[in-house]
Amino acid sequence: MAYVDITADTFNDTVKQDGIVILDFWAPWCGPCKSFGPVFEAASEQHADVVFGKINTEEEQELAGHFGIRSIPTLIALRDGIMVFNQAGAMMAPQFEQLIQAVKGLDMDQVRAEIAEHEAGSAS
């Protein structure tokens, strides 16, 4: 198993690290979550350079609330501690692979510059 189960106690240590972290917010009773689970697990086996974390929304309601999770599964991707993707809904394996490659291909200097520009514009 190449993914980690994330709890409120382990969340900060997991997402604050450099690199890519992909979070799967799910619940045991959720049908789409069950069908996406094997896709997520297979990707976690193929991409050792990415941290894959599963967050059980039933057990970690505070984390789900913090992210405003309203439907599951919800995928959130972070790179270098910056959220770069947030979307509800299960993905097929090719879509998920495309997402992973897109996050890997991001120019983080450009992302940081865009965030700084947006924050500067909001401040005025």
Side-chain angles (χ1 to χ4, degrees), residues 49-94:
D49 57 333
V50 176
V51 175
F52 290 82
K54 292 180 74 75
I55 299 174
N56 182 334
T57 58
E58 292 291 301
E59 295 174 1
E60 301 298 331
Q61 293 179 8
E62 192 173 309
L63 280 176
H66 173 75
F67 282 97
I69 303 300
R70 298 277 183 254
S71 62
I72 50 176
T74 291
L75 287 173
I76 293 180
L78 300 109
R79 179 145 169 216
D80 301 339
I82 299 170
M83 185 186 312
V84 295
F85 181 84
N86 180 347
Q87 181 176 301
M91 291 185 176
M92 303 298 285

Side-chain angles (χ1 to χ4, degrees), residues 20 77-79 84-85 98-106 108:
I20 299 170
L78 300 109
R79 179 145 169 216
V84 295
F85 181 84
Q98 187 176 26
L99 168 64
I100 293 166
Q101 294 305 324
V103 173
K104 285 182 178 185
L106 285 173
M108 290 309 292

Side-chain angles (χ1 to χ4, degrees), residues 1-15 21-28 37 40-41 44 51-57 59-60 63:
M1 173 165 56
Y3 67 87
V4 293
D5 289 311
I6 297 178
T7 66
D9 292 335
T10 62
F11 180 79
N12 284 337
D13 289 339
T14 303
V15 301
V21 178
I22 299 179
L23 304 173
D24 174 20
F25 288 83
W26 68 285
F40 189 83
E41 292 165 25
S44 74
V51 175
F52 290 82
K54 292 180 74 75
I55 299 174
N56 182 334
T57 58
E59 295 174 1
E60 301 298 331
L63 280 176

